[in-house]
Amino acid sequence: MKMAPDTLRLVFWELTKRCNLRCVHCRAEADDSLFAGELDTAAALRVVDDIAAFANPILVLTGGEPLYRADLFEIARHAASKGLRTALATNGTLIDAGIARVIREAGFGRASISIDGSNAASHDGFRGIPGSFERALGGARLLLEEGVEFQFNTTITRRNVGEIEGVLRLAEERGAKALHVFMLVPVGCGVEIAESDMLSREKYEEVLAWLYHRTKDAPFEFKATCAPHYYRIMRQEAKKEGRTVSFETDGMAAMTRGCLAGSGVCFISHRGDVQPCGYLPLVAGNVLERPLAEIWEKSELFARLRKIDDLGGKCGLCEYRAFCAGCRARAYYDTGDCMAEEPYCVYVPKRAGSRE
């Protein structure tokens, strides 16, 4: 079941930074205005051709709010015609019956809808617009009626960490196929709330350990995202249970590592800049200047990120580095070096402990 090293698995493509919400944790710092330099339709279709020419990743069309792009469905249909699997990342509030039908017709395999609380007060407080909770749930209902799979994406911070179980129940009640929980990354608007809203390292560890055990009886796929030390915790908890992690018992979580920025994942901005991920604001190249294949295969930045033995600090000493690798975006935020140690990890590697 193993993929070849450095296989491009996921491309997150920010088609636009424009958005109708005002999310306090927004990676893109999006708002409801036009942003200069956005790729036009012809350029976007060429990017699809570039991707399909050398890889077969899942293509996640995101934003901002991608439904603001008038050519969204043209791009999606073109991707499908090239054999690419597509997903839509949306806040859900702009989905009406007609749009839900076109989402299905355009070939989207799944849509993710951002839900950041178990109730309107919590979610709307995150999203900055009253009524966004009910509108997002309405969008989910319309997708369900059209037979389009959807999942909820939830960013965990201090203000909603006590609501994870409630969001899990909500996702089940609404017919979601999955719940992916994201641990806040301090980038974009997230920088402004990092001090007040980031979980402590200890709470981060506690939540991920709880999540490991809760995944066993969750009614659908329930997973941590942008939380690389989950893959260490999974192995530690499995060891306590007297077993080793395997594909048969743990699925794809046993076959991947935590941070895939630049090694399994890349991000394309609305202007065509290629980054390791949407949270790590370092540019490897631009699709208007070089084919994505060339950027993926020859970028010095990506080559550096793939050398996990070159990780700094305790990440470089850690016996779990091949499974975790730490969050490179959090390391960059904390130190200015994307290869530095992960700052939100409590674990002390055996080799590091022996040197203290």
Side-chain angles (χ1 to χ4, degrees), residues 60-345:
V60 182
L61 301 181
T62 183
E65 174 48 59
L67 287 170
Y68 265 123
R69 283 280 301 226
D71 57 359
L72 167 65
F73 300 116
E74 181 180 356
I75 295 168
R77 290 189 185 98
H78 187 63
S81 75
K82 296 292 182 177
L84 294 174
R85 296 162 291 171
T86 58
L88 177 67
T90 174
N91 62 45
T93 63
L94 300 181
I95 299 175
D96 59 22
I99 289 175
R101 182 178 64 255
V102 179
I103 289 172
R104 172 180 57 79
E105 292 172 347
F108 284 106
R110 179 176 288 191
S112 63
I113 295 178
S114 300
I115 297 290
D116 287 317
S118 60
N119 55 67
S122 179
H123 176 88
D124 291 358
F126 259 97
R127 295 285 155 181
I129 301 293
S132 59
F133 181 71
E134 292 302 330
R135 287 164 61 193
L137 294 181
R141 175 181 56 79
L142 292 168
L143 290 175
L144 188 65
E145 291 175 359
E146 284 292 336
V148 178
E149 287 188 3
F150 69 89
Q151 67 185 51
F152 285 169
N153 288 352
T154 301
T155 299
I156 300 301
T157 69
R158 289 181 184 177
R159 68 177 75 186
N160 69 351
V161 66
E163 298 181 42
I164 309 175
E165 190 70 53
V167 175
L168 184 64
R169 288 195 299 271
L170 178 68
E172 181 181 13
E173 292 168 0
R174 298 293 174 145
K177 291 292 185 180
L179 172 61
H180 290 188
V181 294
F182 290 70
M183 309 306 280
L184 179 66
V185 180
V187 68
C189 295
V191 171
E192 300 172 13
I193 64 169
E195 185 172 342
S196 62
D197 280 41
M198 288 285 289
L199 300 182
S200 68
R201 299 191 306 165
E202 294 74 18
K203 187 64 175 179
Y204 196 140
E205 191 89 354
E206 176 188 324
V207 169
L208 293 181
W210 170 84
L211 191 145
Y212 164 78
H213 293 286
R214 190 65 177 86
T215 59
K216 296 178 180 179
D217 57 6
F220 44 54
E221 180 184 79
F222 182 34
K223 63 176 290 188
T225 304
C226 297
H229 16 306
Y230 175 78
Y231 297 88
R232 164 182 55 79
I233 291 170
M234 178 175 66
R235 285 165 173 82
Q236 290 175 313
E237 294 298 309
K239 185 176 181 180
K240 292 176 186 177
E241 298 165 349
R243 68 179 188 85
T244 56
V245 169
S246 69
F247 176 76
E248 289 71 26
T249 56
D250 300 277
M252 283 305 298
M255 309 305 294
T256 187
R257 82 168 190 240
C259 184
L260 292 171
S263 63
V265 170
C266 76
F267 172 89
I268 304 174
S269 80
H270 69 294
R271 294 175 176 168
D273 288 330
V274 180
Q275 301 170 203
C277 78
Y279 299 107
L280 183 51
L282 297 175
V283 177
N286 188 286
V287 294
L288 296 178
E289 301 168 359
R290 300 165 64 194
L292 183 61
E294 183 179 327
I295 297 171
W296 182 256
E297 294 168 356
K298 298 181 180 180
S299 160
E300 292 182 6
L301 172 61
F302 287 172
R304 187 180 184 217
L305 287 165
R306 292 165 188 168
K307 296 176 180 178
I308 60 171
D309 288 341
D310 288 351
L311 292 173
K314 67 179 183 180
C315 283
L317 299 172
C318 187
E319 60 272 26
Y320 291 102
R321 66 186 181 279
F323 306 114
C324 169
C327 176
R328 299 300 94 218
R330 292 189 185 94
Y332 182 77
Y333 164 76
D334 195 59
T335 68
D337 180 4
C338 66
M339 298 297 283
E341 70 178 45
E342 154 75 68
Y344 291 94
C345 179

Side-chain angles (χ1 to χ4, degrees), residues 37-60:
E38 193 171 279
L39 298 184
D40 62 20
T41 302
L45 296 181
R46 287 196 299 272
V47 171
V48 170
D49 292 340
D50 280 350
I51 295 171
F54 87 103
N56 187 32
I58 297 173
L59 180 60
V60 182

